[in-house]
C-alpha cells in the first residue's frame, strides 16, 4: 500500500510524567508540516505541539503528546492544507497513525487555526459560498476557504483567541456579498449562521403592492436564471404567476405573488426547462425561498 504523509510512533514504555514521546515521519510530497494541534476530552480549547521549525518531507522530528485519549489531532501544511484525525487512543505497544490524503479536510467541516478557542460558522443558505472573510485581531486578511467551496450545511470552525470579536462577510458562487455580522468566542458552543436574508440586498424586488395581500418568492437558485413563477392552491388551481422570460431572474431576486387564499405550493422554471418547487415558507422570513435543493428531479428535463 502506498503510504503518504505523517506517521506517529509511540514508545513501548510509559513515562512517569504521563507524557509520551512521538516520532513524526513526514512524506507529504511538496508539503511541509508547519503546525500540530490537539483537543483533549472534556475540553473545547485547542492545544499546540511545540517544534522549532517546519517538518519537511521525508524528515523525522520528535514531539510530545499527553499519553491519554485525544479527541482530535490537526496538522497544517505550508500550502494551507489541513489534515485531521479523530479519536486517537495510544496503546501499550508501538502504534502507528497514518495521516494520508484520506485524512485531508475536503469538506463537511473546515478548521482554520489562529488561536485556541472555536468560532463555529455554518452555511445556512442553499447557495454555495466561495469566500468567507473575518476581520479581527491576529487573523490574516483574505478568503479563509483557501480555494475550497463552502457548501450548504457545512461548518467552518475558526480557532481564535478567547473573547475575540470578529466581523464575518461571505461571497456566494454568483459573486454576491452578504451583509457583515459580528461573532465572538465568548460562548464556545455558539453557532453563527450565514443565512439567506444576509444576501437579500443583492436582488431586485418585483411586483410589490402594499394594497394587496401576498407572499414574497425569493430566488436562491444558481443552476439557471428563472423565466416563470407559478403559485398554486391545494386543489391545483393557478393562483398567480409571472412570466419573466423577457428578463429572467437572477439569484436573490424577489417576486411578490398576490393571493388571498393560501398557497399550497409554488413552481419556478428556469431557462433550461427545469422546475423547482416549494410547499412551505421559510420560518424566519415568512417568504418562499427556493434554491438548488428544490430541483424537481426526473429523467425528462433537458
Amino acid at each position: 500500500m502506498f503510504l503518504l504523509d505523517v506517521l506517529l510512533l509511540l514508545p513501548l514504555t510509559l513515562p512517569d510524567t504521563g507524557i509520551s514521546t512521538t516520532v513524526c515521519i513526514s512524506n507529504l510530497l511538496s508539503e511541509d508540516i508547519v503546525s500540530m494541534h490537539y483537543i483533549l476530552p472534556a475540553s473545547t480549547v485547542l492545544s499546540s505541539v511545540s517544534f522549532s521549525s517546519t517538518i519537511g518531507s521525508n524528515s523525522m522530528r520528535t514531539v510530545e503528546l499527553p499519553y491519554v485519549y485525544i479527541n482530535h489531532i490537526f496538522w497544517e501544511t505550508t500550502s494551507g492544507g489541513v489534515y485531521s484525525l479523530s479519536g486517537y487512543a495510544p496503546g501499550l505497544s508501538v502504534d502507528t497513525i497514518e495521516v494520508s490524503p484520506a485524512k485531508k479536510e475536503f469538506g463537511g467541516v473546515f478548521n482554520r487555526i489562529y488561536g485556541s478557542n472555536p468560532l463555529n460558522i455554518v452555511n445556512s443558505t442553499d447557495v454555495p459560498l466561495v469566500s468567507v472573510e473575518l476581520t479581527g485581531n491576529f487573523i490574516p486578511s483574505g478568503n479563509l476557504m483557501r480555494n475550497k467551496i463552502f457548501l450548504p450545511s457545512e461548518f467552518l470552525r475558526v480557532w481564535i483567541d478567547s473573547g475575540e470579536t470578529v466581523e464575518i462577510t461571505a461571497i456566494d458562487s454568483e459573486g454576491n456579498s452578504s451583509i457583515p455580522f459580528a461573532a465572538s468566542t465568548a460562548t464556545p458552543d455558539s453557532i453563527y449562521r450565514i443565512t439567506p436574508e444576509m444576501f437579500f440586498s443583492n436582488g431586485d424586488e418585483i411586483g410589490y403592492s402594499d394594497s394587496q395581500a401576498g407572499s414574497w418568492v425569493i430566488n436562491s437558485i444558481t443552476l439557471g436564471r428563472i423565466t416563470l413563477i407559478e403559485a398554486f392552491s391545494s386543489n391545483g388551481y393557478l393562483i398567480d404567476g409571472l412570466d419573466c422570460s423577457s428578463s429572467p431572474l437572477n439569484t436573490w431576486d424577489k417576486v411578490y405573488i398576490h393571493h388571498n387564499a393560501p398557497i399550497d405550493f409554488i413552481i419556478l422554471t428556469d431557462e433550461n426547462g427545469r422546475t423547482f418547487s416549494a410547499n412551505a415558507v421559510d420560518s424566519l422570513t415568512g417568504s418562499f425561498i427556493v434554491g438548488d435543493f428544490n430541483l424537481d428531479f426526473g429523467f425528462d428535463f433537458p
Side-chain angles (χ1 to χ4, degrees):
M1 182 176 67
F2 181 60
L3 299 180
L4 289 179
D5 302 346
V6 181
L7 301 180
L8 300 186
L9 307 179
L10 295 179
L12 287 169
T13 58
L14 302 183
D16 294 336
T17 60
I19 300 298
S20 61
T21 301
T22 305
V23 176
C24 292
I25 304 173
S26 175
N27 185 19
L28 285 171
L29 302 180
S30 61
E31 294 186 274
D32 293 350
I33 295 174
V34 297
S35 66
M36 181 176 175
H37 314 270
Y38 60 89
I39 308 173
L40 295 179
S43 176
T44 59
V45 177
L46 194 67
S47 299
S48 298
V49 176
S50 177
F51 45 84
S52 58
S53 60
T54 62
I55 304 176
S57 298
N58 299 311
S59 65
M60 299 179 64
R61 186 70 53 83
T62 298
V63 300
E64 292 186 345
L65 285 173
Y67 197 86
V68 295
Y69 180 88
I70 298 176
N71 282 357
H72 299 280
I73 303 176
F74 302 100
W75 295 266
E76 288 190 295
T77 69
T78 48
S79 69
V82 178
Y83 295 77
S84 64
L85 173 67
S86 299
Y88 172 63
L92 295 177
S93 59
V94 175
D95 286 341
T96 300
I97 300 176
E98 178 193 356
V99 182
S100 66
K103 293 183 174 64
K104 188 172 183 179
E105 293 185 342
F106 292 103
V109 178
F110 299 94
N111 285 275
R112 300 293 181 259
I113 302 171
Y114 308 108
S116 57
N117 293 79
L119 185 71
N120 300 297
I121 305 167
V122 64
N123 180 5
S124 290
T125 75
D126 284 344
V127 177
L129 305 178
V130 297
S131 176
V132 178
E133 294 192 19
L134 270 63
T135 304
N137 297 327
F138 311 111
I139 299 177
S141 60
N143 182 11
L144 297 186
M145 294 312 301
R146 301 175 184 172
N147 297 320
K148 300 292 192 301
I149 302 298
F150 193 19
L151 295 175
S153 300
E154 289 189 324
F155 276 79
L156 171 62
R157 183 171 295 120
V158 185
W159 298 86
I160 59 178
D161 292 336
S162 176
E164 179 78 8
T165 298
V166 298
E167 189 173 81
I168 302 173
T169 306
I171 299 175
D172 69 17
S173 58
E174 302 298 299
N176 300 302
S177 294
S178 71
I179 59 173
F181 65 99
S184 171
T185 59
T187 306
D189 58 351
S190 293
I191 296 176
Y192 294 92
R193 299 184 180 276
I194 300 174
T195 57
E197 60 266 29
M198 295 177 180
F199 290 92
F200 285 174
S201 61
N202 293 281
D204 294 329
E205 295 185 357
I206 301 169
Y208 178 70
S209 172
D210 57 6
S211 63
Q212 291 181 284
S215 301
W216 283 108
V217 177
I218 301 170
N219 174 33
S220 65
I221 295 167
T222 64
L223 297 177
R225 296 190 303 169
I226 299 303
T227 59
L228 178 65
I229 295 179
E230 299 169 292
F232 296 89
S233 65
S234 58
N235 54 15
Y237 286 104
L238 179 66
I239 295 177
D240 195 12
L242 174 67
D243 182 351
C244 43
S245 56
S246 60
S247 183
L249 302 181
N250 295 308
T251 306
W252 304 121
D253 282 345
K254 303 168 63 176
V255 173
Y256 194 71
I257 296 295
H258 304 124
H259 63 93
N260 292 310
I263 291 178
D264 191 64
F265 63 99
I266 61 170
I267 296 177
L268 277 63
T269 305
D270 72 4
E271 293 173 305
N272 297 310
R274 294 173 294 201
T275 60
F276 304 77
S277 61
N279 59 6
V281 298
D282 174 66
S283 60
L284 295 178
T285 64
S287 304
F288 289 93
I289 302 178
V290 187
D292 296 341
F293 291 149
N294 295 101
L295 174 66
D296 298 321
F297 181 77
F299 297 99
D300 54 348
F301 59 79

